[in-house]
Amino acid sequence: MKISDKIFFWIVIFKLLLSGGIMKLRKSFAIVFCALFSLAANAAERDEFFWLGEMNKATAVINSEEGLLDKAVTPKIARGIEEVITNGSKPGAKRPKKVIAFEPLLIKAAGMDVTMLHIGRSSQDMHATYRAAILRDEALELMVSLSNTMQSLLDLAEKNKNTIVPNYTNGVAAQPNSYAHYLLGLLSAFRRDAERIENFYDRLNYCAMGTTVLNGTSWPLNRERMAHYLGFKAPVENAYDAGQFKSNDDAVEFSSILTSIALHVGTFIQDLSVQYAQPRPWILLQEGGENTYVSSAMPQKRNPGLMIRTRTNASRVISDAQQAVWLAHNIIPGMSDARNVEDTSGRVKETLAMLSQVRRVIAALKINPERALEELNSDWTASQEVADVFMRDYKLPFRVGHHIASEIVSYAKANGIKPADFPYSEVKRIYAEVIKKEYPQGNPLCPMPESQFKDTLNPVKIIQNRKTTGGPQPAELNKNLASMEKSIQSQLNWAKDNVATISNALQKLDGDFQKILPKEEAKKTDSH
């Protein structure tokens, strides 16, 4: 089975698990799927050598059929190409990455006639083509890994629809929220990253072959057919752009996507880290293994090693991604500083490792809903609701109601009073004082009864009573969870379809290449 077929197979299986709703298998399968994809891609060795071989195969097929290559020498040339590819696929064999190192192997295998393949070609357009092809595979691998991470977050959200937690703004506890709604916010950010991958892929997926150095060739090359054989959507439109600008743009744009993903990961990890400064956190990592470690000096400490490593990985992705910008900065067109395949692939590997770590963090999280609710009830994160109710139910201007709620909070904190214990007599007093000072035309008697005041400060009821589209209330939450599930499946479908497109194109090329091999060589290859 070819590697692209293996990738296709695993994506189909993953989709079946998702659609079947097998919740226990979902997360474990999602976590290993990225590893399977990565192992598959590595086994394929779709590196520079591979793509140079495919380009030579396509050139031999196209040019022989269109009269640009003498059909009398075509079988010998095809056999030489096959020999070089076969030798390079042997364990430990050298796999040249540049045209100038690949061509001598062809000459050795098929003689000088093989250089007729080089009509209308240059290392410029050939290297630009394999850079795009390799980056294309990596973009698909990144999409699958990101989708797996999103599925892990979605599974966690499904389990915590009724978990009410404090959310923070400016580093301070701000309002109660459903933990599922919070995670959907993070998922929305990752969904934009997935959209960026799709949009980038659409711009990336053009073939530079046939543009030679920068202004094309006098040979009537069939660039469209070449592009389709290699699985590209179409040829790059402008020959100068193909070799001088596009490869730099591709490297820089992809790095910006990696940066965005890493920024979202870093924010998530840092938000979790806030809890580790508290004496009684409401969310922690499961202790033991590689998740946490005990301080060498302070026996009470359980340091979140897994989170620290993940944050470090995110920072490393961001810092290394900026290298692409600086390498592409202040150079004349066509310079290769920013185009190194090894550099770009290294950034992708770092990002995949980071996402793998994120999935481990998600799997290790221990959430204590009771402790989260206790923290909410020990602080005044529900105080904005007091101002909202005064305005909504009693037509009091919002700013006046806001000042009343603010005075209640100031008094409570000065006297160490929790929301559930706040005396209603003080509510009436503060209300009257603020009305007389700021809104004298209003009635100084507090219209909100004590029972409603208590309900207004209840974090659970606040969430249940939300009316905002996209809010945390049950009906809206369930709708958004379903929408996110659909998005993740769509992302995997997109990856599957593009993998299939490349696979089908290369299979078509293989089939047509077999036809131009010497008959005995073709039979030998078929028997394999």
Side-chain angles (χ1 to χ4, degrees), residues 81 121 134 145 165 223 257 278 310 355 430 433 493 526:
I81 295 170
R121 298 194 324 189
I134 292 170
S145 184
V165 302
R223 293 191 61 218
I257 295 171
Q278 298 189 21
T310 305
L355 289 172
I430 292 170
E433 289 178 357
N493 282 337
D526 289 341

Side-chain angles (χ1 to χ4, degrees), residues 226-248:
M226 173 63 75
H228 293 151
Y229 265 144
L230 301 179
F232 289 96
K233 179 167 60 177
V236 176
E237 183 178 34
N238 183 279
Y240 189 86
D241 175 42
Q244 308 305 306
F245 289 114
K246 189 174 182 299
S247 289
N248 286 358

Side-chain angles (χ1 to χ4, degrees), residues 400-435:
V400 178
H402 182 279
H403 289 167
I404 292 170
S406 182
E407 288 296 326
I408 289 172
V409 172
S410 295
Y411 181 87
K413 290 193 171 183
N415 292 278
I417 304 172
K418 294 182 179 180
D421 302 325
F422 197 85
Y424 183 64
S425 59
E426 290 300 321
V427 175
K428 293 190 290 184
R429 178 186 65 79
I430 292 170
Y431 183 91
E433 289 178 357
V434 174
I435 291 295

